[in-house]
Amino acid sequence: MSILSDLLGALGSGRVEVVDLTAPLHPGTPLLQLPEPFANTIPFRLEEISRYDDRGPGWYWNDIHTGEHTGTHFDAPVHWVTARDGEDVSQVDPAKFVAPAAVLDFTAQAASDPDFLLEVAHVERWQREHGPLPAGGWLLYRTGWDARGESQSEFVNGGHSPGISVECARWLAEESPIIGVGVETVGTDAGAAHSFEPAFPCHSYLLGAGKYGLTQLRNLALLPPTGAVVLAGPLPIVGGSGSPTRVLALVER
């Protein structure tokens, strides 16, 4: 049998499970809210075109109104000023949308401290136990924040949400072999990252290095520390800085 036939067989038998890491997209999906005078994205909205009626008797369809960075989404390098000449979302090599994942679990720390920051020492300790971060893969940062995902106030939490320190963001961008970072929070940076130096270091360093971000992930608790494969499929928006994305994981059972 071919490799792909083997994979289909494993999927059919349940030896490989498909885990959906994507938050449902609806008008109540939490959004990042920037203070004045900065502009903000719009909430997700469906606008009905027809639904089996005189506007279209045999079909139902909608227009969608959303921002690129609403719900579970992909950050392309050009999203940040440090990569203003970098790739837009349509230019990312599609081979990168299928990649191995390392899952680092810091739910206990985030539960006791909503401003908890991942440090280089945490990653190095994880690597001593589980092996190196995957080359060309994702670091998925589990904090338990997805449990808040249906409440704007609990999700944003007054600007207090876990993230990654300045030093760790620089290290992941410049020294680690990963292609990007995936998080459960509203963005790849901590809620307080506007006050860091530089501000929003994950955006600044990782996107500036041509790496990527995935945000508002769910169900990371269903993934092993190593061995999962992530499939992330953003829309190929020409000139787009990002896109809502269906993110799936393949896990051997």
Side-chain angles (χ1 to χ4, degrees):
M1 296 177 68
S2 71
I3 293 173
L4 291 179
S5 295
D6 288 343
L7 175 59
L8 291 173
L11 289 166
S13 69
R15 288 184 293 121
V16 172
E17 180 184 0
V18 179
V19 178
D20 197 346
L21 306 184
T22 316
L25 191 55
H26 56 80
T29 294
L31 299 170
L32 177 67
Q33 292 292 308
L34 299 175
E36 293 184 353
F38 303 116
N40 280 290
T41 193
I42 61 171
F44 177 82
R45 178 169 62 89
L46 287 180
E47 182 178 359
E48 190 174 278
I49 301 170
S50 68
R51 190 162 189 163
Y52 327 121
D53 51 29
D54 57 1
R55 299 170 298 170
W59 51 90
Y60 165 53
W61 58 336
N62 302 287
D63 287 326
I64 60 173
H65 301 259
T66 188
E68 298 169 322
H69 300 268
T70 298
T72 303
H73 65 271
F74 182 95
D75 288 348
V78 76
H79 176 47
W80 213 250
V81 66
T82 50
R84 62 193 309 160
D85 298 319
E87 294 173 318
D88 69 39
V89 72
S90 73
Q91 296 169 326
V92 178
D93 180 355
K96 294 180 178 179
F97 298 142
V98 182
V103 182
L104 281 64
D105 184 355
F106 289 89
T107 53
Q109 292 86 341
S112 62
D113 178 10
D115 293 310
F116 173 78
L117 298 178
L118 185 70
E119 300 285 358
V120 175
H122 295 130
V123 181
E124 291 177 334
R125 190 177 306 128
W126 183 94
Q127 290 187 112
R128 286 194 292 272
E129 180 176 356
H130 299 286
L133 295 175
W138 292 95
L139 185 157
L140 303 183
Y141 177 29
R142 183 178 169 223
T143 57
W145 216 253
D146 57 339
R148 302 167 176 251
E150 292 303 316
S151 168
Q152 172 75 24
S153 61
E154 291 182 13
F155 201 68
V156 176
N157 196 39
H160 297 279
S161 59
I164 298 174
S165 74
V166 172
E167 293 77 12
C168 189
R170 183 189 296 115
W171 184 84
L172 291 171
E174 298 176 358
E175 299 187 42
S176 83
I178 61 171
I179 60 168
V181 167
V183 300
E184 298 168 324
T185 46
V186 73
T188 54
D189 274 298
H194 60 87
S195 64
F196 294 179
E197 182 55 48
F200 307 106
C202 280
H203 286 79
S204 182
Y205 287 124
L206 284 154
L207 299 183
K211 297 186 177 185
Y212 312 108
L214 290 173
T215 74
Q216 286 189 243
L217 299 174
R218 292 193 177 184
N219 296 322
L220 294 185
L222 301 179
L223 305 188
T226 64
V229 174
V230 168
L231 295 82
L235 298 172
I237 303 168
V238 175
S241 71
S243 168
T245 301
R246 191 71 179 260
V247 184
L248 307 175
L250 302 181
V251 181
E252 285 192 69
R253 297 304 188 193

